[in-house]
Amino acid sequence: MSDTTTTRTYETDAKARDLKSRETEHKERQRDEDQVCPECSGQLIHDDDHGETVCGECGLVVEDTVVDRGPEWRAFDAAERDSKSRVGAPTTKMMHDKGLSTNIGWQNKDAYGKSLSPRQREQMQRLRTWNERFRTRDSKERNLKQALGEIDRMASALGLPENVRETASVIYRRALNDDLLPGRSIEGVATASLYAAARMAGTPRSLDELEKVSRVDKMELTRTYRYIVRELKLEIKPADPEQYVPRFASELGLSDEAERQARHLLRGAKETGVHSGKSPVGLAAAAVYAAALLTNEKVTQSEVSAVADISEVTIRNRYKELLEVQDGNLFA
């Protein structure tokens, strides 16, 4: 009985090897035919510059839509090629490991979309736990991971673009490398970094807005911000009231004419020096309200106050000053 089974096994293996050899020969024959011109049987040449496959003998264009599998960048020497070559997603300063580590997803499904068994889910949970532990090697990386997560959370709540988050991450990394964190909270330095990055990018947010989404109070935020700017020697210009106008006008649903009028009022205030020593947020809110009155658009002081987070008294005082400046320019 065993001899018969062994004979059948050998015959099956021989048939499998014979079938595999036939498939291999067929693939090689097909590949050879693909490399031969169908007209003159000449050798085909792949022209990568023009994306064509042509015959070297008769010049017949066999294929003119060859897929370029090379990189989208160009390099003229080995050093430039090494600096530009990459694999996977680009690195980012918004993650403590610059996005180079592996992240295990939380979906309990396999590659085919099927749910995992209870035993497999338990194994995956254990892998996720150890993966999160290994992603941070020391306390410095754990500090950075927590701070960058805080920056991303606050930036999302404030609607800040990605370039502001990148800049804030770089500022926090510099503060961490220069040992500026001892004696200060992670949340305070992260909030100050985001506030500085928003002002540097020309999309500033007021201290009151940051205080609402941050876990630190306004006093700690301002104190930490001044310290970070001084120690890192950041070049941050004073906030321009015009930078707040587009956001306020958009949230209030004002027209482009009202926005232009608000900018005109603020420029007149700068020329006469009225803006000196006054809050840029208050000036921007007053300019938006005054522009809405001049263009006959219905906006109340309470609505502007809610959008800009400024008291109505401040708006009344500032918009009167702006209108006086405009009247003075008209009769000058």
Side-chain angles (χ1 to χ4, degrees):
M1 185 68 177
S2 60
D3 294 340
T4 304
T5 304
T6 304
T7 303
R8 290 178 179 176
T9 303
Y10 286 154
E11 291 177 354
T12 303
D13 293 342
K15 291 180 181 179
R17 286 194 297 270
D18 184 47
L19 180 61
K20 187 174 182 180
S21 62
R22 289 180 183 177
E23 291 178 352
T24 304
E25 291 177 0
H26 177 72
K27 290 181 180 178
E28 292 178 353
R29 193 182 308 112
Q30 186 69 27
R31 185 169 60 250
D32 293 338
E33 291 177 357
D34 293 340
Q35 299 295 325
V36 175
C37 176
E39 294 289 338
C40 65
S41 300
Q43 187 70 23
L44 296 181
I45 300 174
H46 298 285
D47 188 357
D48 296 331
D49 294 335
H50 298 87
E52 297 176 345
T53 301
V54 299
C55 177
E57 301 293 335
C58 64
L60 175 67
V61 179
V62 179
E63 190 176 3
D64 59 356
T65 56
V66 178
V67 177
D68 184 8
R69 303 187 184 279
E72 80 283 1
W73 44 263
R74 295 190 301 169
F76 301 98
D77 54 24
E80 187 177 4
R81 186 180 300 106
D82 293 339
S83 63
K84 288 186 175 182
S85 62
R86 63 182 186 274
V87 176
T91 58
T92 174
K93 298 289 186 179
M94 296 168 59
M95 301 181 68
H96 72 284
D97 52 10
K98 298 183 180 180
L100 298 177
S101 63
T102 302
N103 186 26
I104 302 177
W106 294 92
Q107 295 82 6
N108 290 318
K109 294 182 179 180
D110 60 10
Y112 300 100
K114 298 180 180 178
S115 298
L116 301 179
S117 64
R119 181 178 179 81
Q120 290 174 326
R121 285 199 297 269
E122 184 180 353
Q123 292 176 347
M124 292 302 298
Q125 181 61 33
R126 191 179 300 113
L127 287 174
R128 292 190 192 100
T129 302
W130 281 105
N131 182 58
E132 287 296 322
R133 292 175 181 174
F134 288 136
R135 287 182 68 183
T136 53
R137 294 172 296 180
D138 50 23
S139 60
K140 191 174 182 179
E141 285 197 357
R142 287 193 295 271
N143 181 317
L144 187 59
K145 182 180 179 181
Q146 179 182 348
L148 296 183
E150 191 73 7
I151 289 174
D152 188 61
R153 181 190 65 80
M154 291 186 294
S156 299
L158 294 171
L160 292 172
E162 186 174 351
N163 64 316
V164 176
R165 308 181 192 196
E166 289 275 359
T167 306
S169 302
V170 173
I171 294 174
Y172 189 90
R173 287 175 184 271
R174 289 184 57 190
L176 184 63
N177 293 332
D178 293 352
D179 293 330
L180 302 182
L181 268 72
R184 291 165 185 84
S185 65
I186 296 176
E187 292 82 3
V189 179
T191 309
S193 301
L194 184 62
Y195 179 63
R199 291 186 59 175
M200 293 172 66
T203 56
R205 296 294 186 270
S206 65
L207 291 172
D208 295 326
E209 290 178 299
L210 275 167
E211 186 182 15
K212 289 181 178 179
V213 300
S214 176
R215 293 189 173 95
V216 297
D217 56 15
K218 190 174 181 179
M219 184 176 295
E220 181 181 353
L221 170 58
T222 53
R223 184 171 59 248
T224 307
Y225 168 73
R226 294 193 188 98
Y227 177 74
I228 292 296
V229 172
R230 183 178 65 252
E231 294 297 325
L232 297 180
K233 296 180 174 60
L234 301 178
E235 296 181 1
I236 301 178
K237 298 179 181 179
D240 189 352
E242 289 189 37
Q243 295 175 339
Y244 295 92
V245 170
R247 182 161 58 93
F248 293 167
S250 175
E251 293 183 10
L252 291 169
L254 298 179
S255 63
D256 295 339
E257 179 61 29
E259 184 177 340
R260 283 193 296 269
Q261 187 66 38
R263 292 178 182 275
H264 177 71
L265 291 172
L266 290 174
R267 288 167 188 165
K270 291 178 187 178
E271 293 174 359
T272 57
V274 175
H275 72 294
S276 179
K278 296 180 176 62
S279 170
V281 181
L283 281 173
V288 169
Y289 177 69
L293 294 180
L294 294 174
T295 55
N296 296 323
E297 299 186 30
K298 295 181 179 180
V299 173
T300 63
Q301 292 181 5
S302 60
E303 292 175 343
V304 179
S305 174
V307 168
D309 200 13
I310 294 292
S311 66
E312 297 181 24
V313 177
T314 303
I315 295 174
R316 281 195 294 270
N317 293 336
R318 296 294 173 266
Y319 102 87
K320 290 177 182 178
E321 295 174 357
L322 294 175
L323 292 180
E324 289 175 0
V325 170
Q326 187 187 34
D327 294 339
N329 293 335
L330 289 176
F331 293 105

